Amino acid sequence: MKIRSAKVIVTCPGRNLVTLKIETDEGVYGIGDATLNGREKSVVSYLEDHVIPTLIGKDPQRIEDIWQYLYRGAYWRRGPVGMTAIAAVDVALWDIKAKLAGMPLYQLLGGKSREKVMVYGHATGLDIDSCLEEVRKHVELGYKAVRVQCGIPGIPTTYGVSKEAGKPYEPADSALPSENVWSTEKYLNHVPELFAAVRKEFGEDLHILHDVHHRLTPIQAARLGKEVEKFHLFWLEDCTPVENQSSYELIRKHTTTPLAIGEIFNSLSDCQELIQNQLIDYIRATITHAGGITNVRRIADFASIFHVKTGFHGATDLSPICMGAALHFDTWVPNFGIQEHMPHTKETDLVFPHAYEFKDGFFTPGDVPGHGVDIDEELAAKYPYKPAYLPVNRLEDGTLWNW
Ligand code: CO
């Protein structure tokens, strides 16, 4: 069996999504997600100009060898563009292998470790009361875990908060990034009240998550983690940037609030120190940005030795293909923690027909051979690429800060 052809499909049924489709000489095909939010075209070029020509004629069943060929063979290692391209190939090949086997992908990984996959949804509001309303909607839908974000008095815009309830909060619908304003002081003084209100309203059983989006220094993160311990968050996410992994030692010394990070990681070395020193509790590396199922499996296995669980990124900057592949992975991985879920637009769900299903706060990946997600190419062509970027963030005095 040989890879006969491969192509990249770019579509924007709400957000830009990049898909790699690999076809074999026996008619079986597989698809992988290659979406890198705000930098989509760099991965398109990486695949079309540098990867696809080397795939033609290769045996699609040699997933590991092709992974090594693209990783070691490129000389350049790691990095979001290259690792997203490798992930797209890897997921498409796992899709092909599972279709050839006539099995859902989770069977090839080792079978089910659980019956269903717990997900968390996003509740955001301009203030605490409107956030509580959004939490209620999630609870009514059956969610057992909700990420809560609310506006901060005195700051015109806040990360994770949309201008209108239920509307996406990113990316800016313009050809250039918009600019937000941030005050760490105002945020730190306000956000504990949000968790207090959620606990008061919904009791102790609901899992509460919160994303700080890299806005704090380690000592500020330590203060926040310590102050909100009594609300026992499921996790505090991305509380500080982590180019220097040992900065988490300082946070860890001060708080028992569980910590999660990794949605922008691409490799095991990006999180090795955090994991082996037990500085985090959940690793958020995604299949799409961390080199595919082949590589995320290495990260998850390593993490399991150190009691670190998975909590994959799953926002709508990833296509339904990533969600499908992640749900198969989550169904198998022994050290599963939770899976993020943000509903795609109706148009996106129609472009990517899928076998996965939501019920009462949990997903199941479906039982069709492969990862269970397909692409309707004709429909995809109706939504051409539109430049869109995440906002950039500045402190009140104009200093550029972390988004
Ligand atoms: Co996040």
Side-chain angles (χ1 to χ4, degrees), residues 50-73:
H50 307 295
V51 171
I52 288 175
T54 71
L55 291 178
I56 308 305
K58 282 201 167 65
D59 178 353
Q61 298 188 84
R62 295 182 62 175
I63 299 176
E64 185 65 53
D65 184 66
I66 290 175
W67 196 96
Q68 299 291 343
Y69 183 91
L70 294 174
Y71 185 78
R72 293 172 193 259

Short mmCIF file of all heavy atoms in Angstrom, two decimals, residues 50-73:
data_model
loop_
_atom_site.label_atom_id
_atom_site.label_comp_id
_atom_site.label_asym_id
_atom_site.label_seq_id
_atom_site.Cartn_x
_atom_site.Cartn_y
_atom_site.Cartn_z
N HIS A 50 6.96 21.38 1.76
CA HIS A 50 8.06 20.59 2.32
C HIS A 50 7.69 19.18 2.78
O HIS A 50 8.56 18.34 2.91
CB HIS A 50 8.68 21.34 3.50
CG HIS A 50 9.08 22.75 3.16
ND1 HIS A 50 10.08 23.02 2.25
CD2 HIS A 50 8.60 23.95 3.56
CE1 HIS A 50 10.20 24.34 2.12
NE2 HIS A 50 9.31 24.92 2.90
N VAL A 51 6.42 18.93 3.07
CA VAL A 51 6.07 17.62 3.62
C VAL A 51 5.40 16.72 2.58
O VAL A 51 5.85 15.58 2.35
CB VAL A 51 5.14 17.77 4.86
CG1 VAL A 51 4.59 16.42 5.31
CG2 VAL A 51 5.90 18.44 6.00
N ILE A 52 4.38 17.23 1.92
CA ILE A 52 3.61 16.39 0.99
C ILE A 52 4.51 15.73 -0.08
O ILE A 52 4.38 14.53 -0.33
CB ILE A 52 2.43 17.18 0.37
CG1 ILE A 52 1.36 17.41 1.45
CG2 ILE A 52 1.83 16.44 -0.83
CD1 ILE A 52 0.19 18.29 1.03
N PRO A 53 5.45 16.50 -0.70
CA PRO A 53 6.27 15.85 -1.73
C PRO A 53 7.04 14.63 -1.21
O PRO A 53 7.30 13.69 -1.96
CB PRO A 53 7.24 16.96 -2.16
CG PRO A 53 6.53 18.24 -1.81
CD PRO A 53 5.74 17.93 -0.58
N THR A 54 7.38 14.63 0.10
CA THR A 54 8.15 13.49 0.65
C THR A 54 7.25 12.32 1.03
O THR A 54 7.74 11.22 1.30
CB THR A 54 8.96 13.90 1.91
OG1 THR A 54 8.04 14.12 2.99
CG2 THR A 54 9.76 15.17 1.68
N LEU A 55 5.93 12.56 1.10
CA LEU A 55 5.02 11.48 1.53
C LEU A 55 4.63 10.56 0.38
O LEU A 55 4.35 9.37 0.60
CB LEU A 55 3.72 12.08 2.10
CG LEU A 55 3.79 12.83 3.43
CD1 LEU A 55 2.42 13.38 3.80
CD2 LEU A 55 4.31 11.92 4.55
N ILE A 56 4.60 11.11 -0.82
CA ILE A 56 4.07 10.35 -1.96
C ILE A 56 4.92 9.08 -2.17
O ILE A 56 6.15 9.15 -2.23
CB ILE A 56 4.08 11.21 -3.26
CG1 ILE A 56 3.39 12.56 -3.02
CG2 ILE A 56 3.44 10.45 -4.43
CD1 ILE A 56 1.97 12.49 -2.49
N GLY A 57 4.23 7.95 -2.25
CA GLY A 57 4.91 6.67 -2.47
C GLY A 57 5.27 5.93 -1.18
O GLY A 57 5.61 4.75 -1.20
N LYS A 58 5.18 6.62 -0.03
CA LYS A 58 5.50 5.95 1.25
C LYS A 58 4.35 5.03 1.67
O LYS A 58 3.20 5.23 1.29
CB LYS A 58 5.73 6.99 2.35
CG LYS A 58 7.10 7.66 2.27
CD LYS A 58 7.46 8.27 3.64
CE LYS A 58 8.92 8.65 3.72
NZ LYS A 58 9.33 9.73 2.81
N ASP A 59 4.69 4.02 2.49
CA ASP A 59 3.69 3.09 3.05
C ASP A 59 2.98 3.79 4.21
O ASP A 59 3.60 4.09 5.23
CB ASP A 59 4.41 1.83 3.54
CG ASP A 59 3.44 0.84 4.17
OD1 ASP A 59 2.24 1.18 4.35
OD2 ASP A 59 3.89 -0.27 4.52
N PRO A 60 1.67 4.08 4.07
CA PRO A 60 0.96 4.84 5.12
C PRO A 60 0.85 4.09 6.44
O PRO A 60 0.50 4.67 7.46
CB PRO A 60 -0.45 5.05 4.52
CG PRO A 60 -0.62 3.93 3.55
CD PRO A 60 0.76 3.67 2.99
N GLN A 61 1.15 2.80 6.44
CA GLN A 61 1.03 2.03 7.68
C GLN A 61 2.25 2.20 8.59
O GLN A 61 2.23 1.80 9.74
CB GLN A 61 0.81 0.55 7.35
CG GLN A 61 -0.48 0.36 6.57
CD GLN A 61 -0.84 -1.09 6.38
OE1 GLN A 61 -1.44 -1.70 7.25
NE2 GLN A 61 -0.45 -1.63 5.26
N ARG A 62 3.32 2.79 8.04
CA ARG A 62 4.54 2.97 8.84
C ARG A 62 4.48 4.34 9.55
O ARG A 62 5.26 5.25 9.28
CB ARG A 62 5.77 2.85 7.95
CG ARG A 62 5.91 1.43 7.39
CD ARG A 62 7.15 1.27 6.55
NE ARG A 62 8.37 1.49 7.33
CZ ARG A 62 9.60 1.31 6.85
NH1 ARG A 62 9.76 0.88 5.60
NH2 ARG A 62 10.66 1.54 7.60
N ILE A 63 3.54 4.45 10.49
CA ILE A 63 3.28 5.74 11.15
C ILE A 63 4.52 6.23 11.91
O ILE A 63 4.92 7.38 11.79
CB ILE A 63 2.09 5.62 12.13
CG1 ILE A 63 0.82 5.22 11.37
CG2 ILE A 63 1.88 6.93 12.88
CD1 ILE A 63 -0.39 4.98 12.27
N GLU A 64 5.14 5.35 12.68
CA GLU A 64 6.28 5.76 13.50
C GLU A 64 7.45 6.19 12.61
O GLU A 64 8.10 7.21 12.85
CB GLU A 64 6.71 4.62 14.43
CG GLU A 64 7.82 4.98 15.41
CD GLU A 64 7.38 6.04 16.43
OE1 GLU A 64 6.35 5.83 17.09
OE2 GLU A 64 8.09 7.06 16.56
N ASP A 65 7.71 5.42 11.56
CA ASP A 65 8.84 5.74 10.69
C ASP A 65 8.61 7.09 9.99
O ASP A 65 9.54 7.89 9.86
CB ASP A 65 9.03 4.63 9.66
CG ASP A 65 10.26 4.88 8.79
OD1 ASP A 65 11.38 4.85 9.34
OD2 ASP A 65 10.10 5.16 7.59
N ILE A 66 7.39 7.33 9.56
CA ILE A 66 7.09 8.62 8.89
C ILE A 66 7.22 9.76 9.90
O ILE A 66 7.75 10.83 9.59
CB ILE A 66 5.70 8.57 8.22
CG1 ILE A 66 5.75 7.63 7.01
CG2 ILE A 66 5.23 9.97 7.80
CD1 ILE A 66 4.42 7.38 6.32
N TRP A 67 6.77 9.52 11.14
CA TRP A 67 6.93 10.54 12.19
C TRP A 67 8.40 10.89 12.37
O TRP A 67 8.79 12.06 12.37
CB TRP A 67 6.33 10.04 13.52
CG TRP A 67 6.10 11.15 14.52
CD1 TRP A 67 4.94 11.83 14.72
CD2 TRP A 67 7.08 11.72 15.41
NE1 TRP A 67 5.13 12.79 15.69
CE2 TRP A 67 6.42 12.75 16.13
CE3 TRP A 67 8.42 11.48 15.67
CZ2 TRP A 67 7.07 13.53 17.10
CZ3 TRP A 67 9.07 12.27 16.63
CH2 TRP A 67 8.40 13.27 17.34
N GLN A 68 9.23 9.85 12.51
CA GLN A 68 10.67 10.07 12.72
C GLN A 68 11.30 10.76 11.51
O GLN A 68 12.17 11.63 11.64
CB GLN A 68 11.39 8.73 12.99
CG GLN A 68 10.90 8.00 14.23
CD GLN A 68 11.28 8.70 15.54
OE1 GLN A 68 12.14 9.58 15.58
NE2 GLN A 68 10.62 8.33 16.63
N TYR A 69 10.84 10.36 10.32
CA TYR A 69 11.36 10.95 9.08
C TYR A 69 11.10 12.46 9.06
O TYR A 69 11.98 13.25 8.72
CB TYR A 69 10.68 10.27 7.88
CG TYR A 69 11.18 10.73 6.54
CD1 TYR A 69 12.24 10.08 5.89
CD2 TYR A 69 10.60 11.82 5.89
CE1 TYR A 69 12.70 10.50 4.65
CE2 TYR A 69 11.05 12.26 4.65
CZ TYR A 69 12.10 11.60 4.04
OH TYR A 69 12.55 12.02 2.82
N LEU A 70 9.88 12.85 9.45
CA LEU A 70 9.52 14.28 9.40
C LEU A 70 10.16 15.05 10.55
O LEU A 70 10.44 16.24 10.42
CB LEU A 70 7.99 14.44 9.45
CG LEU A 70 7.24 13.89 8.23
CD1 LEU A 70 5.73 13.97 8.45
CD2 LEU A 70 7.64 14.62 6.95
N TYR A 71 10.40 14.38 11.69
CA TYR A 71 10.96 15.07 12.86
C TYR A 71 12.49 15.13 12.78
O TYR A 71 13.08 16.20 12.69
CB TYR A 71 10.52 14.34 14.14
CG TYR A 71 10.94 15.04 15.41
CD1 TYR A 71 10.24 16.16 15.87
CD2 TYR A 71 12.02 14.58 16.17
CE1 TYR A 71 10.63 16.81 17.04
CE2 TYR A 71 12.41 15.23 17.33
CZ TYR A 71 11.72 16.34 17.77
OH TYR A 71 12.11 16.99 18.92
N ARG A 72 13.12 13.95 12.76
CA ARG A 72 14.58 13.93 12.69
C ARG A 72 15.08 14.38 11.33
O ARG A 72 16.11 15.04 11.21
CB ARG A 72 15.11 12.51 12.93
CG ARG A 72 14.86 12.00 14.33
CD ARG A 72 15.24 10.52 14.41
NE ARG A 72 14.73 9.95 15.64
CZ ARG A 72 15.48 9.74 16.72
NH1 ARG A 72 16.76 9.99 16.72
NH2 ARG A 72 14.94 9.23 17.81
N GLY A 73 14.33 13.98 10.31
CA GLY A 73 14.79 14.21 8.95
C GLY A 73 14.81 15.68 8.56
O GLY A 73 15.52 16.07 7.64
#
